[in-house]
């Protein structure tokens, strides 16, 4: 074990899964807790186009995408834990900045910074799992993490709605700041460093180029990465427009958080099912079958867009999200499986 890990008692398996899921939850919470508050934000900043309020989510996702380009390199150079702690601190500062943003443009800037910061817990939690597990066991661990993690989008809109019942929209960002502060303390106190000092890499352009070349020239890695990105795009396309589609177009109004929770729950259910089935049927069979089913369901939505009513729409969308959840853990594990030499494979200790 590393010096960092020797200062803390090793985590048990359940605690490991819980902390990794909670770190990933920072990202999901920052997106979904905002959905009920978008109309209030639009009204507060006197936005002419109500669609502009959605850019609060788009700005966050843009920062999140950009941040991932550097976080992996920094975590390989300086270790998982230091970069994680900096990311959590920056997330907190950005959330506070959102509370006091005097203009919509500065709010978007703070949200983009928050997105960049949130890439640290998201990328590093995945790297920590990769440090400790491989193969189907890694897929199973990721599935369990995703099962807990997916509880966040189930409850996040309801949390946001409850906050809005008793406080202005700025309080939603206060919840995000508090969550990140708690996670900072938990990680500082209990999370060990999983990257041994001898496995840390200097940030050298030739080495970086070799790593990128390994990833970009691997047909399996790139194929599953692009596939995972496609399904992530489908998911966030729905999330970004969910408040308008469900709340306004479908006329659900105050029932929006509950209905959104049911749809998000289908993703959590699929992650649980995947954790149970992956050892029996394998990652490829499950994920490839889910892709085919998703194509069929999406085509059905397109063909019936002008006539479909609320209940059938919600059923088909929930089934589609179930298939999306079935792909995430498997595609991520399949993509990383080919890059063990880049990720330094399994570390000196594994959680029991």
């Amino acid at each position: 074990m590393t010096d960092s890990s020797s200062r803390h008692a090793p985590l048990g398996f359940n605690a490991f899964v819980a902390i990794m899921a909670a770190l990933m939850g920072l990202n999901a919470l920052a997106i979904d807790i905002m959905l009920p508050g978008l109309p209030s934000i639009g009204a507060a900043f006197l936005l002419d186009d109500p669609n502009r309020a959605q850019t609060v989510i788009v700005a966050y996702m843009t920062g999140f995408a950009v941040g991932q380009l550097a976080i992996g390199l920094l975590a390989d150079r300086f270790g998982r834990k230091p970069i994680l702690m900096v990311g959590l601190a920056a997330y907190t500062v950005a959330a506070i900045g959102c509370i006091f943003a005097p203009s919509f443009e500065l709010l978007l800037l703070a949200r983009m910074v928050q997105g960049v910061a949130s890439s640290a817990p998201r990328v590093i939690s995945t790297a920590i799992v990769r440090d400790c597990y491989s193969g189907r066991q890694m897929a199973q661990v990721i599935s369990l993490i995703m099962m807990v993690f997916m509880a966040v989008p189930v409850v996040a809109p309801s949390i946001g709605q409850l906050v809005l019942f008793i406080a202005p929209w700025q309080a939603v960002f206060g919840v995000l700041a508090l969550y990140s502060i708690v996670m900072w303390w938990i990680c500082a106190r209990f999370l060990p460093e999983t990257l041994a000092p001898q496995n840390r890499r200097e940030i050298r352009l030739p080495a970086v180029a070799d790593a990128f070349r390994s990833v970009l020239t691997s047909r399996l890695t790139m194929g599953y990465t692009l596939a995972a990105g496609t399904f992530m795009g489908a998911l966030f396309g729905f999330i970004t427009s969910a408040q308008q589609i469900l709340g306004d177009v479908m006329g659900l109004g105050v029932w929006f958080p509950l209905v959104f929770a049911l749809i998000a729950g289908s993703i959590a259910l699929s992650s649980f099912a995947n954790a149970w089935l992956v050892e029996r049927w394998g990652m490829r069979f499950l994920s490839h079958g889910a892709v085919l089913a998703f194509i069929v369901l999406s085509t059905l939505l397109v063909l019936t867009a002008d006539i479909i009513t609320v209940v059938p729409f919600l059923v088909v969308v929930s089934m589609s999200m179930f298939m999306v959840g079935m792909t995430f853990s498997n595609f991520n594990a399949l993509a990383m499986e080919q890059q063990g030499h880049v990720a330094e494979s399994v570390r000196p200790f594994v959680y029991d």
Side-chain angles (χ1 to χ4, degrees):
M1 300 180 73
T2 66
D3 291 339
S4 175
S5 62
S6 64
R7 289 196 294 267
H8 305 286
L11 290 172
F13 178 81
N14 292 336
F16 175 81
V17 171
I19 290 178
M20 294 302 103
L23 287 173
M24 291 188 181
L26 280 164
N27 185 38
L29 188 67
I31 297 169
D32 297 320
I33 199 174
M34 299 302 308
L35 299 178
L38 292 181
S40 298
I41 292 175
F45 290 105
L46 304 176
L47 302 181
D48 296 332
D49 183 359
N51 289 330
R52 285 191 64 198
Q54 296 178 359
T55 56
V56 172
I57 297 175
V58 175
Y60 177 89
M61 290 305 302
T62 301
F64 178 68
V66 171
Q68 293 180 77
L69 298 175
I71 291 298
L73 293 175
L74 294 173
D76 285 344
R77 171 62 182 89
F78 299 104
R80 315 302 191 204
K81 191 168 181 177
I83 304 304
L84 174 62
M85 303 308 291
V86 171
L88 290 172
Y91 184 101
T92 303
V93 172
I96 295 173
C98 291
I99 295 174
F100 297 103
S103 68
F104 187 67
E105 289 72 23
L106 288 177
L107 174 63
L108 294 181
L109 178 61
R111 281 288 283 177
M112 185 173 293
V113 173
Q114 189 179 36
V116 172
S118 74
S119 64
R122 179 63 181 86
V123 170
I124 291 173
S125 58
T126 302
I128 290 173
V129 172
R130 186 64 184 83
D131 287 341
C132 303
Y133 297 96
S134 63
R136 290 188 177 186
Q137 191 178 27
M138 179 172 65
Q140 187 176 32
V141 172
I142 292 176
S143 293
L144 292 171
I145 291 172
M146 291 297 290
M147 181 182 68
V148 180
F149 158 69
M150 282 302 171
V152 176
V154 170
V155 301
S158 297
I159 294 174
Q161 190 67 68
L162 288 174
V163 171
L164 292 174
F165 282 149
I166 60 176
W169 60 266
Q170 289 91 339
V172 172
F173 293 105
V175 172
L176 296 179
L178 179 61
Y179 183 9
S180 56
I181 290 171
V182 171
M183 288 309 304
W184 192 97
W185 180 84
I186 290 174
C187 291
R189 178 65 181 85
F190 299 108
L191 186 67
E193 174 62 66
T194 60
L195 184 65
Q198 64 268 22
N199 291 325
R200 298 182 184 183
R201 297 164 174 257
E202 295 289 339
I203 301 179
R204 297 174 179 172
L205 290 181
V208 173
D210 286 342
F212 272 105
R213 188 180 301 111
S214 175
V215 171
L216 295 175
T217 58
S218 171
R219 181 174 61 87
L220 289 177
T221 297
M222 283 304 300
Y224 284 116
T225 298
L226 292 173
T230 298
F231 276 86
M232 186 66 74
L235 174 63
F236 283 107
F238 171 73
I239 290 174
T240 301
S241 57
Q243 194 279 328
Q244 286 182 299
I245 292 176
L246 299 177
D248 299 336
V249 177
M250 293 294 176
L252 296 176
V254 295
W255 293 100
F256 162 71
L258 176 61
V259 174
F260 185 88
L262 292 175
I263 295 174
S266 66
I267 305 179
L269 180 62
S270 70
S271 296
F272 176 79
N274 188 76
W276 182 62
L277 294 172
V278 70
E279 290 286 347
R280 295 167 175 80
W281 292 352
M283 295 179 284
R284 286 180 175 82
F285 178 84
L286 289 175
S287 58
H288 292 189
V291 170
L292 293 175
F294 181 84
I295 292 173
V296 172
L297 293 167
S298 299
T299 302
L300 179 62
L301 283 176
V302 172
L303 295 177
T304 62
D306 294 332
I307 60 174
I308 195 168
T309 55
V310 175
V311 174
F313 174 81
L314 295 179
V315 170
V316 176
V317 169
S318 295
M319 293 173 63
S320 299
M321 292 300 105
F322 183 93
M323 299 306 162
V324 169
M326 191 67 73
T327 65
F328 283 153
S329 301
N330 295 316
F331 280 172
N332 286 335
L334 287 166
M336 289 189 291
E337 186 68 15
Q338 303 296 316
Q339 302 301 323
H341 59 290
V342 175
E344 289 296 335
S345 192
V346 180
R347 301 303 171 200
F349 71 98
V350 176
Y351 290 108
D352 297 321

